[in-house]
Coordinates of all heavy atoms in Angstrom, one line a residue:
Q102 N -3.6 -5.0 -2.3 CA -4.3 -6.0 -3.1 C -5.8 -6.0 -2.8 O -6.2 -5.7 -1.7 CB -3.7 -7.4 -2.8 CG -3.8 -7.8 -1.4 CD -5.0 -8.7 -1.1 OE1 -5.6 -9.2 -2.0 NE2 -5.4 -8.7 0.2
D105 N -7.8 -11.0 -2.4 CA -8.2 -11.9 -1.3 C -8.6 -11.1 -0.1 O -7.7 -10.5 0.6 CB -7.0 -12.8 -1.0 CG -7.4 -13.9 0.1 OD1 -8.5 -13.8 0.6 OD2 -6.6 -14.8 0.4
F106 N -9.9 -11.0 0.2 CA -10.4 -10.3 1.4 C -10.6 -11.2 2.6 O -11.3 -10.9 3.5 CB -11.7 -9.6 1.1 CG -11.5 -8.4 0.1 CD1 -12.0 -8.5 -1.2 CD2 -10.8 -7.3 0.5 CE1 -11.8 -7.5 -2.1 CE2 -10.7 -6.2 -0.4 CZ -11.1 -6.3 -1.7
N107 N -9.8 -12.4 2.5 CA -9.9 -13.3 3.6 C -8.5 -13.8 4.1 O -8.3 -14.9 4.5 CB -10.8 -14.5 3.2 CG -12.2 -14.2 3.1 OD1 -13.0 -14.2 4.1 ND2 -12.7 -13.8 1.9
T108 N -7.5 -12.9 3.9 CA -6.2 -13.2 4.5 C -6.4 -13.3 6.0 O -7.4 -12.8 6.6 CB -5.2 -12.1 4.2 OG1 -5.7 -10.9 4.8 CG2 -5.0 -11.9 2.7
P109 N -5.5 -13.9 6.8 CA -5.6 -14.0 8.2 C -5.9 -12.6 8.9 O -6.7 -12.5 9.8 CB -4.3 -14.5 8.7 CG -3.9 -15.4 7.5 CD -4.3 -14.7 6.3
S110 N -5.2 -11.5 8.4 CA -5.5 -10.2 9.0 C -6.9 -9.7 8.7 O -7.5 -9.0 9.5 CB -4.4 -9.2 8.6 OG -4.4 -9.0 7.3
Y111 N -7.4 -10.0 7.5 CA -8.8 -9.6 7.2 C -9.7 -10.4 8.0 O -10.8 -9.8 8.5 CB -9.1 -9.8 5.7 CG -8.9 -8.6 4.8 CD1 -7.9 -8.5 3.9 CD2 -9.7 -7.5 4.9 CE1 -7.7 -7.4 3.1 CE2 -9.6 -6.4 4.1 CZ -8.6 -6.3 3.2 OH -8.4 -5.2 2.4
Q112 N -9.5 -11.7 8.3 CA -10.4 -12.5 9.1 C -10.3 -12.0 10.6 O -11.3 -11.8 11.2 CB -10.0 -14.0 9.0 CG -10.3 -14.5 7.6 CD -10.1 -16.0 7.5 OE1 -10.7 -16.7 8.3 NE2 -9.3 -16.5 6.6
Q113 N -9.1 -11.9 11.0 CA -8.8 -11.5 12.4 C -9.4 -10.1 12.8 O -10.0 -9.9 13.9 CB -7.3 -11.5 12.7 CG -6.9 -11.0 14.1 CD -5.4 -11.0 14.2 OE1 -4.8 -12.1 14.2 NE2 -4.8 -9.8 14.4
N114 N -9.3 -9.2 11.9 CA -9.6 -7.8 12.2 C -10.8 -7.3 11.4 O -11.0 -6.1 11.2 CB -8.4 -6.9 11.9 CG -7.2 -7.2 12.7 OD1 -7.2 -7.2 13.9 ND2 -6.1 -7.6 12.0
M115 N -11.7 -8.2 11.0 CA -12.8 -7.8 10.1 C -13.7 -6.8 10.7 O -14.3 -6.0 10.0 CB -13.7 -9.1 9.8 CG -14.4 -9.7 10.9 SD -15.5 -11.1 10.3 CE -14.3 -12.2 9.7
N116 N -13.8 -6.7 12.1 CA -14.6 -5.6 12.7 C -13.8 -4.6 13.5 O -14.4 -3.9 14.4 CB -15.7 -6.3 13.6 CG -16.6 -7.2 12.9 OD1 -17.2 -6.8 11.9 ND2 -16.8 -8.4 13.4
M117 N -12.5 -4.5 13.2 CA -11.6 -3.7 13.9 C -11.7 -2.2 13.5 O -11.6 -1.9 12.3 CB -10.2 -4.2 13.8 CG -9.1 -3.4 14.5 SD -9.2 -3.6 16.3 CE -8.7 -5.4 16.4
R122 N -13.4 -4.6 7.7 CA -13.3 -5.1 6.3 C -14.3 -4.6 5.3 O -13.9 -4.3 4.2 CB -13.4 -6.7 6.4 CG -13.4 -7.3 5.0 CD -13.2 -8.9 5.1 NE -14.3 -9.5 5.8 CZ -14.5 -10.8 5.9 NH1 -13.6 -11.6 5.4 NH2 -15.5 -11.3 6.6
L144 N -16.3 -9.9 -0.8 CA -16.0 -10.3 0.5 C -15.7 -11.8 0.6 O -14.9 -12.3 1.4 CB -17.2 -9.9 1.5 CG -17.0 -10.1 3.0 CD1 -17.8 -9.1 3.7 CD2 -17.4 -11.5 3.4
N146 N -14.6 -13.6 -1.9 CA -13.6 -13.9 -3.0 C -14.3 -14.6 -4.2 O -13.6 -15.4 -4.9 CB -12.5 -14.8 -2.4 CG -11.6 -14.1 -1.4 OD1 -11.6 -12.8 -1.4 ND2 -10.8 -14.8 -0.7
L163 N 0.0 -14.3 -4.7 CA -0.6 -13.9 -3.4 C -1.1 -15.1 -2.6 O -2.2 -15.2 -2.2 CB -1.8 -13.0 -3.8 CG -2.2 -12.0 -2.7 CD1 -2.8 -10.7 -3.3 CD2 -3.2 -12.6 -1.8
N164 N -0.2 -16.0 -2.5 CA -0.5 -17.2 -1.7 C -0.1 -17.0 -0.3 O 1.1 -17.3 0.0 CB 0.2 -18.5 -2.4 CG -0.1 -19.7 -1.6 OD1 -0.9 -19.8 -0.6 ND2 0.6 -20.8 -2.0
W165 N -1.0 -16.6 0.6 CA -0.5 -16.2 1.9 C -0.1 -17.4 2.7 O 0.7 -17.3 3.7 CB -1.6 -15.4 2.7 CG -3.0 -16.0 2.9 CD1 -4.1 -15.7 2.3 CD2 -3.3 -17.0 3.9 NE1 -5.2 -16.4 2.8 CE2 -4.7 -17.2 3.8 CE3 -2.6 -17.6 5.0 CZ2 -5.4 -18.1 4.7 CZ3 -3.3 -18.5 5.8 CH2 -4.7 -18.7 5.7
T166 N -0.5 -18.6 2.3 CA -0.1 -19.8 3.1 C 1.4 -20.0 3.0 O 2.0 -20.6 3.9 CB -0.8 -21.1 2.6 OG1 -0.5 -21.3 1.2 CG2 -2.3 -20.9 2.7
S167 N 2.1 -19.5 1.9 CA 3.5 -19.6 1.8 C 4.2 -18.3 2.1 O 5.4 -18.3 2.4 CB 3.9 -20.1 0.4 OG 3.5 -19.1 -0.6
L168 N 3.5 -17.2 2.0 CA 4.2 -15.9 2.2 C 4.2 -15.3 3.6 O 5.0 -14.5 4.0 CB 3.5 -14.8 1.3 CG 3.7 -15.0 -0.2 CD1 2.9 -14.0 -1.0 CD2 5.2 -14.8 -0.6
L169 N 3.3 -15.8 4.5 CA 3.1 -15.3 5.8 C 3.8 -16.3 6.8 O 3.8 -17.5 6.7 CB 1.7 -15.2 6.2 CG 0.8 -14.2 5.4 CD1 -0.6 -14.2 6.0 CD2 1.4 -12.8 5.6
P170 N 4.4 -15.7 7.9 CA 4.9 -16.6 8.9 C 3.8 -17.3 9.7 O 2.7 -16.8 9.7 CB 5.7 -15.6 9.8 CG 5.1 -14.3 9.6 CD 4.6 -14.3 8.1
S171 N 4.1 -18.4 10.3 CA 3.1 -19.1 11.1 C 2.4 -18.3 12.2 O 1.3 -18.5 12.5 CB 3.7 -20.4 11.6 OG 4.8 -20.1 12.5
S172 N 3.2 -17.3 12.7 CA 2.6 -16.5 13.8 C 1.5 -15.6 13.3 O 0.7 -15.1 14.1 CB 3.7 -15.6 14.4 OG 4.3 -14.8 13.4
F173 N 1.5 -15.3 12.0 CA 0.4 -14.5 11.4 C -0.7 -15.4 10.9 O -1.9 -15.1 10.9 CB 0.9 -13.6 10.3 CG 1.7 -12.5 10.8 CD1 1.9 -12.2 12.2 CD2 2.3 -11.6 9.9 CE1 2.6 -11.1 12.6 CE2 3.0 -10.5 10.3 CZ 3.2 -10.3 11.7
K174 N -0.3 -16.6 10.3 CA -1.4 -17.5 9.8 C -2.3 -18.1 10.9 O -3.5 -18.3 10.6 CB -0.7 -18.7 9.0 CG 0.0 -18.2 7.7 CD 0.5 -19.4 6.9 CE 1.8 -20.0 7.5 NZ 2.5 -20.9 6.6
K175 N -1.7 -18.3 12.0 CA -2.4 -18.9 13.2 C -3.3 -20.1 12.7 O -2.7 -21.0 12.0 CB -3.3 -17.8 13.8 CG -2.4 -16.7 14.4 CD -3.2 -15.5 14.9 CE -2.2 -14.4 15.3 NZ -2.8 -13.1 15.6
N176 N -4.5 -20.1 13.0 CA -5.4 -21.3 12.6 C -6.4 -20.9 11.5 O -7.3 -21.6 11.2 CB -6.2 -21.8 13.8 CG -5.3 -22.5 14.8 OD1 -4.3 -23.2 14.4 ND2 -5.5 -22.2 16.1
Y177 N -6.1 -19.8 10.8 CA -7.0 -19.3 9.7 C -6.8 -20.2 8.5 O -5.7 -20.7 8.2 CB -6.8 -17.8 9.4 CG -7.1 -16.9 10.6 CD1 -6.1 -16.3 11.3 CD2 -8.5 -16.7 10.9 CE1 -6.5 -15.5 12.4 CE2 -8.8 -15.9 12.0 CZ -7.8 -15.3 12.7 OH -8.2 -14.5 13.8
K178 N -7.9 -20.4 7.8 CA -8.0 -21.2 6.6 C -8.2 -20.3 5.3 O -9.0 -19.3 5.4 CB -9.0 -22.2 6.6 CG -9.0 -23.2 7.9 CD -7.7 -24.0 7.9 CE -7.7 -24.9 9.1 NZ -6.3 -25.3 9.4
P179 N -7.6 -20.6 4.2 CA -7.9 -19.9 3.0 C -9.3 -20.0 2.6 O -10.0 -21.0 2.8 CB -6.9 -20.5 1.9 CG -5.9 -21.2 2.7 CD -6.6 -21.7 4.0
V180 N -9.9 -18.9 2.0 CA -11.2 -18.9 1.4 C -11.1 -18.8 -0.1 O -10.8 -17.8 -0.6 CB -12.1 -17.7 2.0 CG1 -13.4 -17.7 1.3 CG2 -12.2 -17.8 3.5
I181 N -11.2 -20.0 -0.7 CA -11.0 -20.1 -2.2 C -12.3 -20.7 -2.7 O -12.6 -21.9 -2.4 CB -9.8 -20.9 -2.6 CG1 -8.5 -20.3 -1.9 CG2 -9.7 -21.0 -4.1 CD1 -7.3 -21.1 -2.1
L204 N 0.8 -5.6 -5.2 CA 1.2 -6.9 -4.7 C 1.2 -7.9 -5.8 O 1.8 -9.0 -5.7 CB 0.3 -7.3 -3.6 CG 0.7 -8.6 -2.8 CD1 2.2 -8.6 -2.4 CD2 -0.2 -8.8 -1.6
C222 N 0.8 -3.1 11.2 CA 0.2 -3.1 12.6 C -0.6 -4.3 12.7 O -1.4 -4.7 11.8 CB -0.7 -1.8 12.8 SG 0.2 -0.3 12.8
E223 N -0.6 -4.9 13.9 CA -1.3 -6.2 14.2 C -2.8 -6.0 14.1 O -3.5 -6.8 13.5 CB -1.0 -6.7 15.6 CG -1.6 -8.0 16.0 CD -1.1 -9.2 15.1 OE1 0.0 -9.1 14.5 OE2 -1.9 -10.2 15.0
N224 N -3.3 -4.9 14.6 CA -4.8 -4.6 14.6 C -5.2 -3.9 13.4 O -5.8 -2.8 13.4 CB -5.1 -3.9 15.9 CG -4.7 -4.6 17.1 OD1 -5.0 -5.7 17.4 ND2 -3.8 -3.9 17.9
D225 N -5.0 -4.5 12.2 CA -5.3 -3.9 10.9 C -5.6 -4.9 9.9 O -4.8 -5.9 9.7 CB -4.0 -3.1 10.5 CG -4.1 -2.3 9.2 OD1 -5.2 -2.3 8.6 OD2 -3.1 -1.7 8.8
V226 N -6.7 -4.8 9.1 CA -7.0 -5.7 8.1 C -5.9 -5.8 7.0 O -5.7 -6.8 6.3 CB -8.3 -5.4 7.4 CG1 -9.5 -5.6 8.3 CG2 -8.3 -4.0 6.8
L227 N -5.1 -4.7 6.9 CA -4.1 -4.6 5.8 C -2.7 -5.1 6.3 O -1.8 -5.1 5.5 CB -3.9 -3.1 5.4 CG -5.2 -2.5 4.8 CD1 -4.9 -1.0 4.5 CD2 -5.7 -3.2 3.6
R228 N -2.7 -5.6 7.5 CA -1.4 -6.2 8.0 C -0.7 -7.1 6.9 O 0.5 -7.0 6.6 CB -1.6 -6.9 9.3 CG -0.3 -7.5 9.9 CD -0.6 -8.6 10.9 NE -1.2 -9.8 10.3 CZ -1.7 -10.8 10.9 NH1 -1.7 -10.8 12.2 NH2 -2.2 -11.8 10.3
D229 N -1.5 -8.1 6.5 CA -0.9 -9.1 5.6 C -0.5 -8.6 4.2 O 0.3 -9.2 3.6 CB -1.8 -10.3 5.5 CG -2.0 -11.0 6.9 OD1 -1.2 -10.8 7.8 OD2 -3.0 -11.8 7.0
D230 N -1.2 -7.5 3.7 CA -0.8 -6.9 2.5 C 0.7 -6.5 2.6 O 1.5 -6.8 1.7 CB -1.6 -5.7 2.2 CG -3.0 -6.0 1.7 OD1 -3.6 -7.1 2.0 OD2 -3.6 -5.1 1.0
G231 N 1.0 -5.8 3.6 CA 2.4 -5.3 3.8 C 3.4 -6.5 4.0 O 4.5 -6.5 3.4
V232 N 3.0 -7.4 4.8 CA 3.9 -8.6 5.1 C 4.2 -9.4 3.9 O 5.3 -9.8 3.6 CB 3.3 -9.4 6.3 CG1 4.2 -10.6 6.5 CG2 3.2 -8.6 7.6
M233 N 3.1 -9.6 3.1 CA 3.3 -10.4 1.9 C 4.2 -9.7 0.9 O 5.0 -10.3 0.2 CB 1.9 -10.8 1.2 CG 1.2 -11.8 2.0 SD -0.3 -12.5 1.1 CE -1.4 -11.1 1.2
H249 N 7.1 -4.3 12.3 CA 5.8 -4.7 12.7 C 5.5 -4.3 14.2 O 6.4 -4.4 15.0 CB 5.6 -6.2 12.6 CG 4.2 -6.7 13.0 ND1 3.1 -6.3 12.3 CD2 3.8 -7.4 14.0 CE1 2.0 -6.9 12.9 NE2 2.4 -7.5 13.9

Side-chain angles (χ1 to χ4, degrees):
Q102 60 91 22
D105 184 356
F106 292 108
N107 291 275
T108 63
S110 62
Y111 263 113
Q112 294 187 54
Q113 172 183 299
N114 301 300
M115 65 174 66
N116 296 314
M117 181 70 67
R122 177 169 60 174
L144 188 148
N146 290 343
L163 205 151
N164 179 7
W165 61 256
T166 61
S167 63
L168 292 171
L169 296 179
S171 57
S172 59
F173 286 0
K174 288 186 285 191
K175 298 172 183 168
N176 294 317
Y177 294 106
K178 304 297 182 202
V180 175
I181 303 174
L204 186 52
C222 297
E223 182 66 22
N224 304 303
D225 182 5
V226 292
L227 301 178
R228 179 199 69 188
D229 295 343
D230 284 26
V232 176
M233 287 190 288
H249 181 67

